[in-house]
Amino acid sequence: MDLGLKGKRALVTGGSRGLGRAIATTLKAEGAQVAICARDEKRVRETALEIGALEYVRDLTPGGAGEALARDVISTIGGIDILVVNTGGPPQGSFESVSDDAWNTALNGIFLSAVGLIRAALPGMRERKWGRILIVTSVAALEPHPGLILSNAIRPGLHGLVNALSREVAADGITVNALLPGYTLTERIVELGVGDEQVAEQVPAKRMGKPSEFAALAAFLASEPAGYICGQAIACDGGLLRSI
Ligand SMILES: NC(=O)c1ccc[n+]([C@@H]2O[C@H](COP(=O)([O-])OP(=O)(O)OC[C@H]3O[C@@H](n4cnc5c(N)ncnc54)[C@H](OP(=O)(O)O)[C@@H]3O)[C@@H](O)[C@H]2O)c1
């Protein structure tokens, strides 16, 4: 199938490792021009060099950082046709262990950065009558996961944004969708100490997902043939989610 991605311009945030890196790699392999961003300068540069992407060393947490990044990318490559919003997950914790600072950081990093990125990318997509906006969230946004109060509370708001925004922009050829990773073997999952035993117990597929499997879903949703998929929250989770 021709995904129609040749020559499309993509920004993948959090693209230096894990799911973001896999998405950036796949989009590039499909012929898109790709820009990535993350905080760790060395890793951003190494990944950008390996993939053949443009590099932006940025922290998306400070107010206005998302919008500023998207504007800079647009001024360098002329526009963003595909925006993949992805950052690191917030720290673990229960309600009573989380401070106001942590709530603010998570809100800025996960939610408001997405708003800023979209605000800057959207006008050009509307003018060109084509755009794809993908937001990486989590299965925890549909079925809250113990000990992840920040993710459980904030990410469902992104699903509301995806659905509502999708209805506002669909007539201009722009789709907005959320992608929900289940257990997928990235550095983050290793750092969280998630083991194969736990996964085999919970996941019907009895294994973790591969970043390349998640990236294939993202590439399809970013593609020309996916133009009628609007406002959805789609999981790639080996059957983990139970909700119908
Ligand atoms: N992997 C899974 O099984 C899984 C499951 C459910 C949900 N998720 C969610 O999916 C997203 C991606 O997961 P992952 O496993 O790929 O995570 P990861 O391996 O930790 O990668 C996160 C990427 O985002 C960048 N990043 C983090 N904070 C940032 C910030 N403030 N500003 C800019 N870039 C930032 C990281 O680079 P720097 O650290 O250098 O900035 C890195 O490139 C996360 O939100 C995670 O919670 C993952």
Side-chain angles (χ1 to χ4, degrees):
M1 184 192 297
D2 179 6
L3 296 183
L5 291 171
K6 286 185 189 68
K8 296 291 187 205
R9 297 158 297 189
L11 168 60
V12 182
T13 64
S16 70
R17 72 175 202 174
L19 302 178
R21 179 190 168 119
I23 295 169
T25 305
T26 304
L27 292 178
K28 181 72 187 175
E30 289 295 328
Q33 183 177 9
V34 177
I36 61 168
C37 99
R39 295 165 302 179
D40 183 299
E41 183 171 353
K42 185 166 174 281
R43 206 160 48 207
V44 175
R45 295 209 190 292
E46 282 171 3
T47 303
L49 195 64
E50 279 170 39
I51 297 178
L54 292 168
E55 60 194 43
Y56 290 83
V57 180
R58 301 287 170 93
D59 181 353
L60 289 173
T61 307
E67 192 165 347
L69 168 68
R71 287 195 192 292
D72 287 351
V73 172
I74 290 165
S75 77
T76 305
I77 59 176
I80 297 170
D81 304 303
I82 299 164
L83 172 64
V84 181
V85 179
N86 166 66
T87 60
Q92 300 181 72
S94 60
F95 180 79
E96 282 160 317
S97 71
V98 172
S99 65
D100 276 358
D101 277 354
W103 279 105
N104 279 321
T105 302
L107 260 176
N108 281 327
I110 298 174
F111 192 90
L112 294 176
S113 66
V115 172
L117 286 159
I118 295 167
R119 182 180 288 131
L122 197 55
M125 292 179 177
R126 279 210 195 263
E127 270 171 35
R128 294 185 294 276
K129 303 283 179 217
W130 200 95
R132 300 285 184 264
I133 298 172
L134 309 180
I135 304 187
V136 176
T137 63
S138 171
V139 287
L142 283 190
E143 293 180 1
H145 198 85
L148 289 178
I149 190 79
L150 292 168
S151 182
N152 295 337
I154 295 170
R155 281 179 155 147
L158 286 172
H159 289 185
L161 175 68
V162 160
N163 195 278
L165 176 62
S166 154
R167 300 177 69 86
E168 292 182 18
V169 300
D172 278 338
I174 302 166
T175 69
V176 190
N177 291 289
L179 285 81
L180 289 53
Y183 293 113
T184 315
L185 188 54
T186 65
E187 290 88 340
R188 171 175 163 85
I189 278 294
V190 174
E191 285 160 12
L192 287 174
V194 177
D196 288 339
E197 235 171 68
Q198 179 187 343
V199 170
E201 215 171 86
Q202 292 180 23
V203 180
K206 304 286 178 207
R207 66 170 177 88
M208 290 208 207
K210 300 174 196 159
S212 61
E213 292 171 315
F214 188 79
L217 171 64
F220 179 69
L221 289 174
S223 74
E224 191 66 50
Y228 206 54
I229 303 174
C230 304
Q232 300 302 304
I234 302 174
C236 180
D237 68 349
L240 177 63
L241 284 178
R242 288 169 175 270
S243 42
I244 302 174

